[in-house]
Amino acid sequence: MNKQRKIALNRAIIELENPYPKDDIILSYSDFLKVRDYLNYYQFNPIVFDNLVRLANDQWKTEKRISRLSLLQKIKQYLHTVPKGTSRDYYNRINIPKLQLSVETHKLLFNLFRKTFEERKYINHTQIDEARKICNNILINLGLTSTEEDWLCSNFSTSELILNRVLRYPIESVVISNWAKNNFQNNILRSRRAELLSWIIDQEPMFEIDLTILIDDFEYLNKIDLQAIQNYDDEIVANRIMAQELAEYLPKKTNYDFYSNRPHQEEFDLSVSELKLSKRPYVVPMDVSKEYPVDIPHFENLKQNFYSNLQKHHKITMIWAIGYSRLDNQIKYSLLKKYYTNETYFSMYKVCTKTKNIELLKWILEQQ
């Protein structure tokens, strides 16, 4: 029988039957290969999932020919087959019921994420980015022990994925709150002010950010964006000079032209670095006088808008910070009312719907 037809037929049968797998269905890599194409059509068995996660950890450093990426992909797929007891969190991510996975399984899942950074040599370099993204996705909404929290905080500057796992950690954490206090004015974190602030509010609900911090954030983001644009411009100028003065010495790429039936040379590609600018939590007026690969702020108008709306920006920052916090909705209700105005309505509405704060929505309705 055709191999692909056999896989398709088996998959269709298992999908329709939706059987509950035996606990020992996956104990070795050869077992995994037998069910790899059908695993996510079985019902979720936490023992099977645990065995799969252990297998990926145990086989990570093996010299045998295995697909670590395939193991990670199936772990993610099988985890997300859980049909009951799931919900969506603040970031619209799937919440896996806490009782489904043991603390040890959480630790093993974290170990896979950590391996993609500290033991990356065991996975193909073309697959490492995808492997990290998969492990990052698996960790979303999973609580960890203080040991794992410490590692995340110690390595937050290594990758945006790690930083997201710190700032968007789903439960209260003394480790992360202390880290937030120690890094409150860290330049790397200025564009994530509301999320960082939320960890302070977890421990100090009445804490309110000072306007000078928001001003410092604004001026710093301007500084690094202007520098990024200047560096981009300098690369463009340098490439033009090289193209003009060194064109005959630069290597050229040879392509074959099938229409003329002969090879031809193309000019050497003098590419420039990607232009990356800061993400900002407020409206940014754009400068359309110059052409760039990304939208460029009109810095003069941006500055005028920011300072004339500083109080509004302060309120909106506090609204989102309280929303991001892990406080109970009743506490959020009492804290958020202070920052409600007609200008902050949209942010309040979004935070209330994301946190499912019905009482606060009713209170806002009364204000209309």
Side-chain angles (χ1 to χ4, degrees):
M1 180 186 289
N2 180 284
K3 182 179 179 181
Q4 292 304 317
R5 287 186 181 180
K6 187 175 181 180
I7 292 174
L9 288 167
N10 277 325
R11 182 181 291 149
I13 292 169
I14 294 173
E15 183 177 9
L16 291 171
E17 291 181 340
N18 190 217
Y20 190 83
K22 295 181 179 179
D23 292 350
D24 61 356
I25 193 173
I26 299 177
L27 297 179
S28 66
Y29 188 71
S30 60
D31 291 339
F32 167 71
L33 292 178
K34 292 176 184 176
V35 299
R36 177 173 57 180
D37 295 314
Y38 324 110
L39 183 60
N40 53 307
Y41 297 113
Y42 284 91
Q43 293 180 47
F44 186 80
N45 180 338
I47 296 177
V48 171
F49 182 76
D50 185 70
N51 289 340
L52 181 58
V53 175
R54 287 181 184 278
L55 178 66
N57 274 278
D58 293 343
Q59 295 295 310
W60 190 267
K61 294 183 181 180
T62 184
E63 294 182 359
K64 297 178 182 178
R65 188 177 179 182
I66 67 168
S67 174
R68 294 163 184 81
L69 184 63
S70 181
L71 281 165
L72 296 177
Q73 289 171 333
K74 293 305 170 181
I75 288 171
K76 175 186 172 183
Q77 287 180 8
Y78 193 48
L79 178 63
H80 290 168
T81 61
V82 184
K84 296 179 181 179
T86 56
S87 60
R88 296 282 176 172
D89 78 330
Y90 191 95
Y91 298 96
N92 201 34
R93 302 288 191 174
I94 293 176
N95 277 320
I96 304 300
K98 293 180 180 179
L99 295 178
Q100 290 283 350
L101 305 176
S102 68
V103 173
E104 185 61 29
T105 301
H106 285 206
K107 293 170 70 174
L108 289 171
L109 288 170
F110 174 81
N111 285 341
L112 291 174
F113 181 66
R114 183 170 178 172
K115 287 176 188 297
T116 63
F117 291 95
E118 295 184 344
E119 299 175 9
R120 57 175 295 176
K121 68 179 181 179
Y122 295 103
I123 192 167
N124 191 300
H125 73 278
T126 61
Q127 299 177 340
I128 191 63
D129 286 342
E130 185 179 354
R132 286 173 177 170
K133 289 177 182 177
I134 290 171
C135 290
N136 171 71
N137 182 275
I138 291 169
L139 282 187
I140 289 171
N141 293 319
L142 292 188
L144 304 166
T145 70
S146 58
T147 301
E148 288 81 45
E149 293 169 3
D150 276 326
W151 186 90
L152 289 172
C153 290
S154 298
N155 293 275
F156 78 93
S157 61
T158 303
S159 163
E160 188 173 2
L161 294 178
I162 299 177
L163 177 58
N164 283 340
R165 296 287 56 77
V166 176
L167 292 175
R168 299 178 179 181
Y169 193 64
I171 57 178
E172 290 185 23
S173 165
V174 173
V175 171
I176 298 178
S177 286
N178 288 338
W179 165 84
K181 291 177 183 177
N182 293 332
N183 288 274
F184 200 61
Q185 297 198 48
N186 188 317
N187 288 337
I188 297 175
L189 301 169
R190 291 191 181 277
S191 63
R192 309 290 292 270
R193 178 57 63 195
E195 290 168 290
L196 187 65
L197 177 57
S198 74
W199 287 99
I200 309 295
I201 292 173
D202 274 0
Q203 289 190 337
E204 304 174 40
M206 301 307 295
F207 181 86
E208 188 170 67
I209 192 169
D210 194 273
L211 290 177
T212 58
I213 298 293
L214 298 180
I215 292 172
D216 289 344
D217 291 347
F218 175 75
E219 295 295 350
Y220 175 78
L221 295 181
N222 285 349
K223 178 182 176 182
I224 63 171
D225 281 354
L226 285 167
Q227 187 61 59
I229 294 169
Q230 184 61 57
N231 292 343
Y232 183 86
D233 289 342
D234 290 345
E235 281 197 62
I236 295 291
V237 172
N239 282 354
R240 287 174 181 169
I241 293 174
M242 289 182 66
Q244 292 173 1
E245 299 183 1
L246 304 174
E248 59 182 299
Y249 303 106
L250 292 174
K252 294 180 174 62
K253 182 173 64 176
T254 300
N255 284 332
Y256 193 85
D257 190 335
F258 289 96
Y259 292 101
S260 62
N261 200 31
R262 61 186 181 186
H264 71 278
Q265 289 187 329
E266 295 181 352
E267 292 297 321
F268 184 73
D269 179 25
L270 293 169
S271 58
V272 296
S273 303
E274 182 181 358
L275 178 56
K276 292 184 178 180
L277 300 180
S278 305
K279 295 179 181 179
R280 300 176 187 250
Y282 38 79
V283 176
V284 179
M286 296 302 170
D287 185 353
V288 296
S289 63
K290 296 181 180 179
E291 289 188 8
Y292 284 95
V294 296
D295 291 333
I296 300 297
H298 190 297
F299 288 97
E300 184 178 340
N301 291 346
L302 176 61
K303 197 163 190 173
Q304 182 179 351
N305 288 357
F306 176 82
Y307 282 102
S308 62
N309 291 283
L310 183 55
Q311 293 293 335
K312 173 185 173 182
H313 178 50
H314 177 264
K315 287 182 172 64
I316 289 176
T317 301
M318 289 301 303
I319 289 170
W320 283 103
I322 295 167
Y324 285 134
S325 75
R326 283 122 305 262
L327 296 173
D328 180 84
N329 261 358
Q330 275 300 114
I331 300 176
K332 289 183 180 182
Y333 171 77
S334 62
L335 294 175
L336 284 168
K337 289 197 296 182
K338 175 181 177 181
Y339 302 103
Y340 177 74
T341 67
N342 285 334
E343 288 184 314
T344 64
Y345 166 79
F346 184 68
S347 293
M348 285 282 281
Y349 175 79
K350 290 190 71 174
V351 167
C352 287
T353 55
K354 283 179 174 291
T355 59
K356 299 180 175 60
N357 201 321
I358 299 173
E359 292 304 311
L360 189 53
L361 283 170
K362 291 179 179 178
W363 180 85
I364 295 173
L365 180 59
E366 292 174 358
Q367 313 308 307
Q368 307 310 305

